Amino acid sequence: MVGTKITEEQIQTVADQVQVHKFGGSSLADAYCYRRVARIVTEYAGASDLVVVSAAGDTTNRILAIIDAKEEAAHDEDSLGIAQVLLNQLKKYQQGLINDLLSGKHQERILELSEQDFDRWQGWLDGEEEITRRPELLSYGELWSARLLSALLIQQGITADYIDARTFLVADDAPEPFIRVEPSREALLERIAPHHGTRFIVTGFICRDPEGNSLILGRNGSDYSATLVGSLIDAKQVTIWKDVAGVYSADPRKVERVVSLPILDWQEAEELARLGSPVLHPRTFQPVNRERMVIAVRSSLKVENQQTRIGQYDDTEPRGKVLTALSEVVLFRVDLSDAKLVQQFEDLDLTPLISWNEVKQQHAYYAYHQNHLDFMTHWLEQVDVHDHVTQMSGYSMIAMVGNRIQETEEYQVFKRELSEQNLRRLSFSPDANAVIAILEQKLDNRLLNRVHSQIFNYRRSLGVLVVGRGNIGSAWLSLYRRLRERINEQMDVRIIGIVNSTRLWLDYNGVELTDWEDSFEQLAKPYEMSQLITELPNAPYDELVMLDLTDSIEVAQQYPSFFANGLHIISANKRAGASGEAQYNEIRTIQREYKREWYYNTTVGAGLPLNYALNDLRNQGDEIRSISGIFSGTMSWLFENFNADVKFSDLVREAKVRGLSEPDPREDLTCQDIVRKLLILAREIGLKLDWQDIDIDSLLPEHLEDISLEEFMQRLPELDDSMQDLYADAQKTGKVPRLLASFARQDDDYVRARVGIEYIPEGDMLANLIPGENIFVIYTDWYSEMPLVISGPGAGKEVTAGGVQSDLNQLLSRLSNRADD
Ligand code: ADP
Ligand code: ASP
Ligand code: MG
């Protein structure tokens, strides 16, 4: 029992009021991290809480490297120099932290202690001071961080102190030191109970043997230190602050789109740790009073994020929860005939990941994590093995943890996904809370990702790259924001990048669309389109789509490359769909070869449901005979407003000002824009057609073709006479001129296609459109007497954005129904 110095009441107060927090190396990697930890300690910890810390950043690894280099120096002189360099770097790192974080007398005090420590290290390196035990050197890492964090808190006016765990935590040396609980408990309580209101920073990872020699609790052992300290004082909660917001469905460094688990129960967490998941040290749960304590795992980087609580939960539904993997596993094959040896394996303290017998071949197998190889080799040297053990490497493990795993849906998927792999063994852990597969192959992250996404991401994901941030781009982005919830029903859709002709804003987590214009200004960087395309397949999505909302030839030329790199395309840009036949065929071939989707229904008639009507007719077995009409909103607007009293040049000027024409109105006047639409439409219904097959009447006199835009705008009135002549000519027969496009199937390989002025009777539907209106008059086998007519606005950013959205909806339903390639 606890000695005389403290009372039962004090012990009870400690148990009721003191909680334990633990910060690992990654939470203390630099000065910024330390400040964040200090803030957490003041805001999220009680005034008397205990804070267990690891060595800052990779200090433990650095120390090990110095020790190794010094040992190496026995047979390689250069190594001593290396050790010196490494020591200098370590000193610089540690003192850098002190200088960054502390000032004045606080800095002076801690720097002085640090100098003393490094003098001792230097003495050791120079052979003047003997430090024979690694644990003693390793202990410095934790000592430095505890000392520094407490000084930082004190400097901030908080009552704090640090405790070297070797002053209370006593253990007997063993591969896994055996803790002497009572004396340790007594010493700790004596140290802290009288100081209610002080935050104590305790070194993790280290303890001492009864003689006072330093011992370590194993790599990453501070999680264990934290629960150990927690159980010594009988705390109700231990919070383990990591760089992850809890325990996830898989290692987030290897697997995309992991989910954080709100709850794990003891058996699940213990099994996860036993299987070597780095998120929790295997011994973390050993000391825990499971009825009393809860362990919270949460993020020190993003405090507000979710956390995982590990405790006693009556989790009703069995469910596969965490996928965990080891890339290197060693098998020991033991002859079953050697019963004594088999028994020794069975009795070994270090339990294997999994073991099994193959009775026919008279073999027992024991699978161990590669990290335990040294221990096993050492152990086997002491055991009488004769030739009855064979060590086998080249194996890996993948496992899924969850209570009563065998009953779960997730197990079925796991088994199915691994059945095609080189499976050596698949079975359940002794307590049935994990299914473990040993593979006779290297493990790659792709396999892990695939299994994970099959098990956990029922919703597939789509990353969207928006190319072009002009009128249509902006309109679509605001439409997307409005419809986001609905769009996300089928798949997890995120905008991963916005691009204009010179700059790119890329964020694989999904760009934040609130004030996206400002963010674009600040965050977008110059880029190279071809480089971007080859980089995109790394985006962690099941599917990717590029929205081409430009009018750019350069972007259109890259379509094959987009397809070949796995992207689908939705275009409002006509350039690819209306490119020359050879180029068009190449785009289509690559698209088919890579099984990508390509939608461009807004390129003709903007948002009008033209494509739906045509597809529907064709699917019914009807045959399209001809389509004619006014395909251009600009031309519609110009001609519906034109008459004998109006100057055509004034109309063109006004159209440009109002954004109704292309920036260079000559694109419209040469009919290029209409020809593109005609080509797209004809190809859409399966006709072979190229530019030279189309009979085109340009409205632009040749002498105005090659001058600057500015000059052209000045010389616009040169159009007026001929346009007035045209109007007068039409009027002679009571008609008006209109710019019509038409194509008709003549026989199987001939298509008559024309774009140009035609005279239309004044009462005709085509002569009485609302300016800007498009009209498509469709004759088919079945609509042969009376055509099917679709008319409405054929341009405008809102309707076009809506059309793009309609294409995206089609893509989504296509993809979400499509099995994985
Ligand atoms: P500490 O800061 O305590 O030293 P570690 O870096 O040792 O923490 O361990 C946490 C790391 O474990 C995380 O950064 C994460 O990459 C990894 N990890 C592996 N599997 C998981 C998992 N299932 N859930 C959360 N983290 C995991
Ligand atoms: N600093 C020790 C290590 O790196 C202990 C820990 O991080 O938990 O292994
Ligand atoms: Mg660690």
PDB file of all heavy atoms in Angstrom, residues 631-651:
ATOM      1  N   PHE A 631     -29.314  27.131 -86.143  1.00  0.00           N
ATOM      2  CA  PHE A 631     -28.538  26.495 -85.078  1.00  0.00           C
ATOM      3  C   PHE A 631     -27.771  27.517 -84.253  1.00  0.00           C
ATOM      4  O   PHE A 631     -27.110  27.157 -83.295  1.00  0.00           O
ATOM      5  CB  PHE A 631     -27.496  25.526 -85.670  1.00  0.00           C
ATOM      6  CG  PHE A 631     -28.056  24.341 -86.416  1.00  0.00           C
ATOM      7  CD1 PHE A 631     -29.426  24.164 -86.592  1.00  0.00           C
ATOM      8  CD2 PHE A 631     -27.194  23.382 -86.933  1.00  0.00           C
ATOM      9  CE1 PHE A 631     -29.916  23.054 -87.285  1.00  0.00           C
ATOM     10  CE2 PHE A 631     -27.675  22.278 -87.615  1.00  0.00           C
ATOM     11  CZ  PHE A 631     -29.043  22.115 -87.805  1.00  0.00           C
ATOM     12  N   SER A 632     -27.806  28.760 -84.716  1.00  0.00           N
ATOM     13  CA  SER A 632     -26.964  29.738 -84.047  1.00  0.00           C
ATOM     14  C   SER A 632     -27.817  30.843 -83.429  1.00  0.00           C
ATOM     15  O   SER A 632     -28.608  31.483 -84.124  1.00  0.00           O
ATOM     16  CB  SER A 632     -25.975  30.334 -85.054  1.00  0.00           C
ATOM     17  OG  SER A 632     -25.626  31.643 -84.691  1.00  0.00           O
ATOM     18  N   GLY A 633     -27.652  31.037 -82.150  1.00  0.00           N
ATOM     19  CA  GLY A 633     -28.381  32.093 -81.443  1.00  0.00           C
ATOM     20  C   GLY A 633     -28.015  33.456 -81.990  1.00  0.00           C
ATOM     21  O   GLY A 633     -28.855  34.357 -82.103  1.00  0.00           O
ATOM     22  N   THR A 634     -26.745  33.634 -82.347  1.00  0.00           N
ATOM     23  CA  THR A 634     -26.277  34.919 -82.855  1.00  0.00           C
ATOM     24  C   THR A 634     -26.984  35.251 -84.173  1.00  0.00           C
ATOM     25  O   THR A 634     -27.503  36.352 -84.367  1.00  0.00           O
ATOM     26  CB  THR A 634     -24.758  34.867 -83.132  1.00  0.00           C
ATOM     27  OG1 THR A 634     -24.150  34.131 -82.091  1.00  0.00           O
ATOM     28  CG2 THR A 634     -24.171  36.234 -83.245  1.00  0.00           C
ATOM     29  N   MET A 635     -26.987  34.265 -85.070  1.00  0.00           N
ATOM     30  CA  MET A 635     -27.615  34.477 -86.376  1.00  0.00           C
ATOM     31  C   MET A 635     -29.111  34.694 -86.238  1.00  0.00           C
ATOM     32  O   MET A 635     -29.704  35.492 -86.957  1.00  0.00           O
ATOM     33  CB  MET A 635     -27.346  33.275 -87.276  1.00  0.00           C
ATOM     34  CG  MET A 635     -25.924  33.245 -87.764  1.00  0.00           C
ATOM     35  SD  MET A 635     -25.537  34.770 -88.652  1.00  0.00           S
ATOM     36  CE  MET A 635     -23.827  34.497 -88.997  1.00  0.00           C
ATOM     37  N   SER A 636     -29.697  33.952 -85.321  1.00  0.00           N
ATOM     38  CA  SER A 636     -31.124  34.121 -85.076  1.00  0.00           C
ATOM     39  C   SER A 636     -31.391  35.552 -84.632  1.00  0.00           C
ATOM     40  O   SER A 636     -32.265  36.244 -85.148  1.00  0.00           O
ATOM     41  CB  SER A 636     -31.553  33.119 -84.007  1.00  0.00           C
ATOM     42  OG  SER A 636     -32.794  33.483 -83.465  1.00  0.00           O
ATOM     43  N   TRP A 637     -30.602  36.016 -83.718  1.00  0.00           N
ATOM     44  CA  TRP A 637     -30.802  37.366 -83.177  1.00  0.00           C
ATOM     45  C   TRP A 637     -30.609  38.419 -84.270  1.00  0.00           C
ATOM     46  O   TRP A 637     -31.421  39.325 -84.447  1.00  0.00           O
ATOM     47  CB  TRP A 637     -29.832  37.599 -82.003  1.00  0.00           C
ATOM     48  CG  TRP A 637     -30.109  38.863 -81.255  1.00  0.00           C
ATOM     49  CD1 TRP A 637     -30.957  39.024 -80.208  1.00  0.00           C
ATOM     50  CD2 TRP A 637     -29.544  40.159 -81.522  1.00  0.00           C
ATOM     51  NE1 TRP A 637     -30.972  40.328 -79.793  1.00  0.00           N
ATOM     52  CE2 TRP A 637     -30.121  41.046 -80.576  1.00  0.00           C
ATOM     53  CE3 TRP A 637     -28.621  40.656 -82.457  1.00  0.00           C
ATOM     54  CZ2 TRP A 637     -29.790  42.401 -80.541  1.00  0.00           C
ATOM     55  CZ3 TRP A 637     -28.299  42.007 -82.421  1.00  0.00           C
ATOM     56  CH2 TRP A 637     -28.892  42.864 -81.472  1.00  0.00           C
ATOM     57  N   LEU A 638     -29.528  38.258 -85.061  1.00  0.00           N
ATOM     58  CA  LEU A 638     -29.230  39.235 -86.109  1.00  0.00           C
ATOM     59  C   LEU A 638     -30.358  39.296 -87.144  1.00  0.00           C
ATOM     60  O   LEU A 638     -30.862  40.373 -87.474  1.00  0.00           O
ATOM     61  CB  LEU A 638     -27.917  38.887 -86.828  1.00  0.00           C
ATOM     62  CG  LEU A 638     -26.628  39.090 -86.034  1.00  0.00           C
ATOM     63  CD1 LEU A 638     -25.425  38.560 -86.822  1.00  0.00           C
ATOM     64  CD2 LEU A 638     -26.424  40.581 -85.712  1.00  0.00           C
ATOM     65  N   PHE A 639     -30.790  38.148 -87.623  1.00  0.00           N
ATOM     66  CA  PHE A 639     -31.759  38.165 -88.724  1.00  0.00           C
ATOM     67  C   PHE A 639     -33.179  38.452 -88.268  1.00  0.00           C
ATOM     68  O   PHE A 639     -33.951  39.067 -88.996  1.00  0.00           O
ATOM     69  CB  PHE A 639     -31.663  36.871 -89.538  1.00  0.00           C
ATOM     70  CG  PHE A 639     -30.505  36.882 -90.492  1.00  0.00           C
ATOM     71  CD1 PHE A 639     -29.285  36.327 -90.144  1.00  0.00           C
ATOM     72  CD2 PHE A 639     -30.627  37.504 -91.737  1.00  0.00           C
ATOM     73  CE1 PHE A 639     -28.203  36.372 -91.016  1.00  0.00           C
ATOM     74  CE2 PHE A 639     -29.546  37.553 -92.618  1.00  0.00           C
ATOM     75  CZ  PHE A 639     -28.326  36.992 -92.248  1.00  0.00           C
ATOM     76  N   GLU A 640     -33.537  38.018 -87.079  1.00  0.00           N
ATOM     77  CA  GLU A 640     -34.892  38.319 -86.616  1.00  0.00           C
ATOM     78  C   GLU A 640     -35.050  39.819 -86.355  1.00  0.00           C
ATOM     79  O   GLU A 640     -36.153  40.349 -86.373  1.00  0.00           O
ATOM     80  CB  GLU A 640     -35.259  37.524 -85.350  1.00  0.00           C
ATOM     81  CG  GLU A 640     -35.294  36.005 -85.506  1.00  0.00           C
ATOM     82  CD  GLU A 640     -36.389  35.471 -86.444  1.00  0.00           C
ATOM     83  OE1 GLU A 640     -37.379  36.199 -86.707  1.00  0.00           O
ATOM     84  OE2 GLU A 640     -36.227  34.331 -86.944  1.00  0.00           O
ATOM     85  N   ASN A 641     -33.934  40.496 -86.099  1.00  0.00           N
ATOM     86  CA  ASN A 641     -33.999  41.946 -85.881  1.00  0.00           C
ATOM     87  C   ASN A 641     -33.763  42.758 -87.157  1.00  0.00           C
ATOM     88  O   ASN A 641     -33.886  43.977 -87.161  1.00  0.00           O
ATOM     89  CB  ASN A 641     -32.963  42.376 -84.835  1.00  0.00           C
ATOM     90  CG  ASN A 641     -33.416  42.040 -83.426  1.00  0.00           C
ATOM     91  OD1 ASN A 641     -34.574  42.250 -83.078  1.00  0.00           O
ATOM     92  ND2 ASN A 641     -32.519  41.485 -82.634  1.00  0.00           N
ATOM     93  N   PHE A 642     -33.381  42.095 -88.227  1.00  0.00           N
ATOM     94  CA  PHE A 642     -32.962  42.791 -89.438  1.00  0.00           C
ATOM     95  C   PHE A 642     -34.162  43.086 -90.349  1.00  0.00           C
ATOM     96  O   PHE A 642     -35.048  42.252 -90.512  1.00  0.00           O
ATOM     97  CB  PHE A 642     -31.953  41.895 -90.169  1.00  0.00           C
ATOM     98  CG  PHE A 642     -31.351  42.502 -91.391  1.00  0.00           C
ATOM     99  CD1 PHE A 642     -30.852  43.814 -91.369  1.00  0.00           C
ATOM    100  CD2 PHE A 642     -31.262  41.783 -92.582  1.00  0.00           C
ATOM    101  CE1 PHE A 642     -30.286  44.376 -92.502  1.00  0.00           C
ATOM    102  CE2 PHE A 642     -30.695  42.348 -93.712  1.00  0.00           C
ATOM    103  CZ  PHE A 642     -30.208  43.635 -93.677  1.00  0.00           C
ATOM    104  N   ASN A 643     -34.195  44.297 -90.879  1.00  0.00           N
ATOM    105  CA  ASN A 643     -35.188  44.610 -91.915  1.00  0.00           C
ATOM    106  C   ASN A 643     -34.684  45.799 -92.741  1.00  0.00           C
ATOM    107  O   ASN A 643     -33.556  46.270 -92.534  1.00  0.00           O
ATOM    108  CB  ASN A 643     -36.561  44.892 -91.291  1.00  0.00           C
ATOM    109  CG  ASN A 643     -36.507  46.030 -90.293  1.00  0.00           C
ATOM    110  OD1 ASN A 643     -35.921  47.084 -90.599  1.00  0.00           O
ATOM    111  ND2 ASN A 643     -37.061  45.825 -89.102  1.00  0.00           N
ATOM    112  N   ALA A 644     -35.492  46.292 -93.599  1.00  0.00           N
ATOM    113  CA  ALA A 644     -35.051  47.331 -94.537  1.00  0.00           C
ATOM    114  C   ALA A 644     -34.628  48.623 -93.838  1.00  0.00           C
ATOM    115  O   ALA A 644     -33.843  49.410 -94.361  1.00  0.00           O
ATOM    116  CB  ALA A 644     -36.165  47.630 -95.544  1.00  0.00           C
ATOM    117  N   ASP A 645     -35.123  48.827 -92.606  1.00  0.00           N
ATOM    118  CA  ASP A 645     -34.814  50.084 -91.906  1.00  0.00           C
ATOM    119  C   ASP A 645     -33.608  49.993 -90.965  1.00  0.00           C
ATOM    120  O   ASP A 645     -33.297  50.945 -90.271  1.00  0.00           O
ATOM    121  CB  ASP A 645     -36.034  50.516 -91.077  1.00  0.00           C
ATOM    122  CG  ASP A 645     -37.286  50.555 -91.928  1.00  0.00           C
ATOM    123  OD1 ASP A 645     -37.152  50.956 -93.112  1.00  0.00           O
ATOM    124  OD2 ASP A 645     -38.362  50.151 -91.433  1.00  0.00           O
ATOM    125  N   VAL A 646     -33.027  48.832 -90.880  1.00  0.00           N
ATOM    126  CA  VAL A 646     -31.950  48.651 -89.891  1.00  0.00           C
ATOM    127  C   VAL A 646     -30.638  48.361 -90.608  1.00  0.00           C
ATOM    128  O   VAL A 646     -30.618  47.665 -91.617  1.00  0.00           O
ATOM    129  CB  VAL A 646     -32.295  47.460 -88.964  1.00  0.00           C
ATOM    130  CG1 VAL A 646     -31.187  47.227 -87.964  1.00  0.00           C
ATOM    131  CG2 VAL A 646     -33.618  47.698 -88.261  1.00  0.00           C
ATOM    132  N   LYS A 647     -29.559  48.944 -90.064  1.00  0.00           N
ATOM    133  CA  LYS A 647     -28.252  48.644 -90.653  1.00  0.00           C
ATOM    134  C   LYS A 647     -27.702  47.364 -90.031  1.00  0.00           C
ATOM    135  O   LYS A 647     -27.633  47.242 -88.796  1.00  0.00           O
ATOM    136  CB  LYS A 647     -27.275  49.793 -90.366  1.00  0.00           C
ATOM    137  CG  LYS A 647     -27.454  50.959 -91.259  1.00  0.00           C
ATOM    138  CD  LYS A 647     -26.271  51.895 -91.038  1.00  0.00           C
ATOM    139  CE  LYS A 647     -26.466  53.158 -91.841  1.00  0.00           C
ATOM    140  NZ  LYS A 647     -25.816  54.285 -91.185  1.00  0.00           N
ATOM    141  N   PHE A 648     -27.307  46.436 -90.903  1.00  0.00           N
ATOM    142  CA  PHE A 648     -26.791  45.162 -90.398  1.00  0.00           C
ATOM    143  C   PHE A 648     -25.572  45.384 -89.505  1.00  0.00           C
ATOM    144  O   PHE A 648     -25.403  44.737 -88.472  1.00  0.00           O
ATOM    145  CB  PHE A 648     -26.444  44.243 -91.579  1.00  0.00           C
ATOM    146  CG  PHE A 648     -26.322  42.805 -91.186  1.00  0.00           C
ATOM    147  CD1 PHE A 648     -27.450  42.032 -90.908  1.00  0.00           C
ATOM    148  CD2 PHE A 648     -25.069  42.199 -91.085  1.00  0.00           C
ATOM    149  CE1 PHE A 648     -27.337  40.705 -90.543  1.00  0.00           C
ATOM    150  CE2 PHE A 648     -24.949  40.869 -90.721  1.00  0.00           C
ATOM    151  CZ  PHE A 648     -26.085  40.108 -90.439  1.00  0.00           C
ATOM    152  N   SER A 649     -24.735  46.374 -89.886  1.00  0.00           N
ATOM    153  CA  SER A 649     -23.529  46.629 -89.098  1.00  0.00           C
ATOM    154  C   SER A 649     -23.868  47.065 -87.679  1.00  0.00           C
ATOM    155  O   SER A 649     -23.184  46.697 -86.722  1.00  0.00           O
ATOM    156  CB  SER A 649     -22.664  47.678 -89.783  1.00  0.00           C
ATOM    157  OG  SER A 649     -23.392  48.887 -89.912  1.00  0.00           O
ATOM    158  N   ASP A 650     -24.944  47.836 -87.532  1.00  0.00           N
ATOM    159  CA  ASP A 650     -25.335  48.246 -86.167  1.00  0.00           C
ATOM    160  C   ASP A 650     -25.714  47.030 -85.328  1.00  0.00           C
ATOM    161  O   ASP A 650     -25.399  46.943 -84.138  1.00  0.00           O
ATOM    162  CB  ASP A 650     -26.531  49.201 -86.215  1.00  0.00           C
ATOM    163  CG  ASP A 650     -26.122  50.589 -86.696  1.00  0.00           C
ATOM    164  OD1 ASP A 650     -24.886  50.856 -86.726  1.00  0.00           O
ATOM    165  OD2 ASP A 650     -27.012  51.387 -87.072  1.00  0.00           O
ATOM    166  N   LEU A 651     -26.405  46.099 -85.987  1.00  0.00           N
ATOM    167  CA  LEU A 651     -26.821  44.895 -85.259  1.00  0.00           C
ATOM    168  C   LEU A 651     -25.609  44.079 -84.810  1.00  0.00           C
ATOM    169  O   LEU A 651     -25.552  43.598 -83.681  1.00  0.00           O
ATOM    170  CB  LEU A 651     -27.733  44.030 -86.138  1.00  0.00           C
ATOM    171  CG  LEU A 651     -29.135  44.592 -86.416  1.00  0.00           C
ATOM    172  CD1 LEU A 651     -29.862  43.699 -87.415  1.00  0.00           C
ATOM    173  CD2 LEU A 651     -29.940  44.724 -85.136  1.00  0.00           C
TER     174      LEU A 651
END
